[in-house]
Amino acid sequence: MSDEVVPAGRPLLEVVTVREGMFGAQGSGDTSGFNNLVSVVPVPEASVRPFGGYFDTIADELVAALPSFGTSADAALEKVVIAHDEMTFYVRASELVSVARALRDEPGLRFELCLGVSGAHYPNHAGREMHAVYHLRSITHGRVIRLEVSVPDADPHVPSLYSVYPTTDWHERETFDFFGIIFDGHPHLTRIQMPDDWQGHPQRKDYPLGGIPVEYKGATVPPADQRRSYN
């Protein structure tokens, strides 16, 4: 299949992957009942002004504030995406801390709270396989936005936001544990749920479906890739 698709009335989109079945499992059969489902996963398009609602105000305030925090909109922001009534700033990893400080400290923004860090893995998105997603809330203004950073699988380093939002401490550890994203500057970046000597990162798409056989009341539960297929 081509790397581009043409939705009706819209420009060409870059495709991250084409997923078959509900979860994209390969080699083990699909047990979800959706084995004939085919989903195209595109890269989100940059939105154009006006964004609507308070989104334009946030964008204007951030662009104006960034030079005071040691960067600029051109250097820091890749694009802004408005989808499903939500706002996401795609930020270059090198400028993430500066953007976060501006969002927290600028009076017109005041995103005082980081609600957490999530990881995502797109193994077919060459050079941008690993994503870290931050959800920010402004208690002062009653607004919510997201920041998203993407880095290559071969060099999965993202600056830690612990110095800006200490609440990211355990969230960054969890994202490291499950996805392998390395948060530079974190005070104690160790696994938080898996054993310290665990091999691999279990929520990556390339992590084997096979697991550790578990005995339950005398019966053995086989790994997921050895169970019966309903294809």
Side-chain angles (χ1 to χ4, degrees), residues 28-134:
S28 62
D30 189 295
T31 61
S32 67
F34 292 87
N35 53 294
N36 291 324
L37 178 68
V38 177
S39 303
V40 175
V41 182
V43 175
E45 293 180 283
S47 298
V48 296
R49 298 289 195 104
F51 299 144
Y54 57 73
F55 297 146
D56 292 284
T57 300
I58 293 175
D60 291 339
E61 292 278 353
L62 181 59
V63 169
L66 284 175
S68 300
F69 292 86
T71 186
S72 66
D74 289 339
L77 305 179
E78 294 181 341
K79 60 183 175 182
V80 181
V81 174
I82 311 297
H84 309 293
D85 202 29
E86 297 176 333
M87 184 178 208
T88 303
F89 288 99
Y90 286 75
V91 181
R92 294 182 177 87
S94 60
E95 308 300 318
L96 176 62
V97 174
S98 296
V99 172
R101 289 191 187 280
L103 288 166
R104 184 194 66 181
D105 295 344
E106 183 64 23
L109 296 168
R110 284 284 188 258
F111 285 90
E112 305 98 332
L113 180 63
C114 180
L115 302 173
V117 185
S118 303
H121 182 210
Y122 299 97
N124 297 318
H125 197 189
R128 304 171 69 91
E129 295 90 350
M130 306 306 300
H131 291 235
V133 184
Y134 304 80

Side-chain angles (χ1 to χ4, degrees), residues 174-203:
E174 183 178 47
T175 305
F176 162 72
D177 193 357
F178 288 139
F179 290 92
I181 297 175
I182 300 169
F183 293 93
D184 296 324
H186 188 283
H188 188 60
L189 192 64
T190 57
R191 291 189 182 273
I192 194 169
Q193 296 194 44
M194 307 304 291
D196 289 338
D197 60 351
W198 192 265
Q199 298 297 312
H201 304 278
Q203 288 189 349

